[in-house]
Amino acid sequence: GGGEAVPDRGRVPGRTMGASGGQDAALTIVLAEYLPEGWYEAQGLQARAQGVLGSSDVWLEQTDTGVSVRYGHFNRYEEAERAFGVVRNNYAAMDAGGYQFCYIYNIPRPNPPIPRDWDLFENNCGYSLEIATYYNVPEEDYYDRKADAVRAVESLRAEGETAYLVHGNQESRVFVGCFPRDVVQTAYVNGELQQVVNPLVQAFINRYEYRYENGGVVYNVGHDGMGGSTRTPIRPVLVNVDTFWEEGPF
């Protein structure tokens, strides 16, 4: 988010690069998405798309919000891009309906198995320190954000850290520390009401200078007023586990 990632020289493992190879396909093309009552529309589009594209690899996927019509299974982004060009050139002939559009979609991989005590939400933590984020980069054929987040937690725990993770829809996040809910208090400081962190927890936070994205340290890049640039490391953030999901999906 607005930062520049540089090679990791810290304690969080980097990402595993490369295509998915013989594993399950990583990408598909979404032709349209319908509400739950739109199954007949979805089936109609499926049949039309198979005819227009000359392929039987058009399939339906039930989602949380309805039904998605998808075309193709691809292991590399350049393959999906070529197929997407064909879809876009023939999209009008498929008659997907109003307010529909097509796009390349990263097929989520299942969550790797982890011990229960690695899951942030299974440990009754009030606060924890978020130190790393992993996200897929289809343009670079990188789809292993979940596995790399697990490896990061494994590595941190091998060093004696109390590390956790959370898999979101688009990102996997890594945390250290499990603190009770009363480590953050509201108090008056110089006449202003502020949130005050327990000194012992603050000392723990101060041990971590950097925040990572896909194994690289993240910086805020600015200007020094003399034509040059500055880079300030983005520090880890203490998160309220109880309100974590309310702060926005990831």
Side-chain angles (χ1 to χ4, degrees):
E4 175 188 354
V6 301
D8 174 26
R9 291 179 174 83
R11 304 164 60 212
V12 179
R15 67 191 188 194
T16 301
M17 298 301 296
S20 55
Q23 302 176 25
D24 292 340
L27 300 163
T28 188
I29 298 171
V30 173
L31 301 179
E33 296 180 278
Y34 300 99
L35 295 174
E37 60 269 23
W39 271 97
Y40 286 116
E41 291 178 272
Q43 290 174 329
L45 174 58
Q46 179 186 29
R48 291 190 299 275
Q50 287 174 339
V52 170
L53 298 171
S55 171
S56 61
D57 193 13
V58 180
W59 42 289
L60 307 182
E61 179 79 12
Q62 187 169 3
T63 68
D64 293 338
T65 57
V67 56
S68 176
V69 185
R70 302 175 180 181
Y71 162 59
H73 294 77
F74 310 99
N75 287 327
R76 291 190 173 275
Y77 190 76
E78 61 181 4
E79 297 171 348
E81 271 198 317
R82 286 196 297 269
F84 183 67
V86 174
V87 168
R88 192 166 46 191
N89 290 338
N90 293 277
Y91 194 62
M94 299 181 204
D95 190 19
Y99 307 106
Q100 297 291 349
F101 61 94
C102 55
Y103 59 93
I104 297 173
Y105 175 70
N106 178 200
I107 301 173
R109 290 184 176 173
N111 293 353
I114 61 170
R116 184 172 179 176
D117 61 352
W118 291 18
D119 186 333
L120 181 65
F121 295 124
E122 294 289 341
N123 290 274
N124 195 32
C125 302
Y127 287 86
S128 189
L129 189 66
E130 183 181 317
I131 64 169
T133 300
Y134 292 85
Y135 51 86
N136 291 335
V137 187
E139 296 84 352
E140 298 178 10
D141 291 320
Y142 169 67
Y143 310 105
D144 293 321
R145 55 104 170 176
K146 292 181 178 180
D148 283 346
V150 171
R151 279 189 280 268
V153 171
E154 182 178 27
S155 176
L156 288 164
R157 283 183 169 259
E159 296 178 3
E161 298 287 357
T162 308
Y164 307 93
L165 62 83
V166 173
H167 294 305
N169 291 329
Q170 304 296 330
E171 299 176 357
S172 296
R173 298 188 181 184
V174 175
F175 305 80
V176 290
C178 180
F179 308 109
R181 289 163 180 80
D182 62 359
V183 298
V184 177
Q185 299 283 341
T186 301
Y188 281 98
V189 179
N190 297 325
E192 295 185 1
L193 198 61
Q194 299 181 10
Q195 286 192 321
V196 180
V197 179
N198 179 288
L200 293 178
V201 174
Q202 187 60 58
F204 176 88
I205 294 171
N206 292 343
R207 291 169 46 201
Y208 297 86
E209 298 183 64
Y210 306 110
R211 186 169 178 173
Y212 298 85
E213 289 185 2
N214 284 1
V217 178
V218 184
Y219 295 87
N220 275 326
V221 180
H223 302 283
D224 61 8
M226 296 181 290
S229 62
T230 61
R231 296 200 311 169
T232 306
I234 297 178
R235 295 188 65 92
V237 59
L238 188 69
V239 300
N240 184 328
V241 178
D242 293 332
T243 62
F244 189 68
W245 289 115
E246 299 174 11
E247 297 171 2
F250 62 89

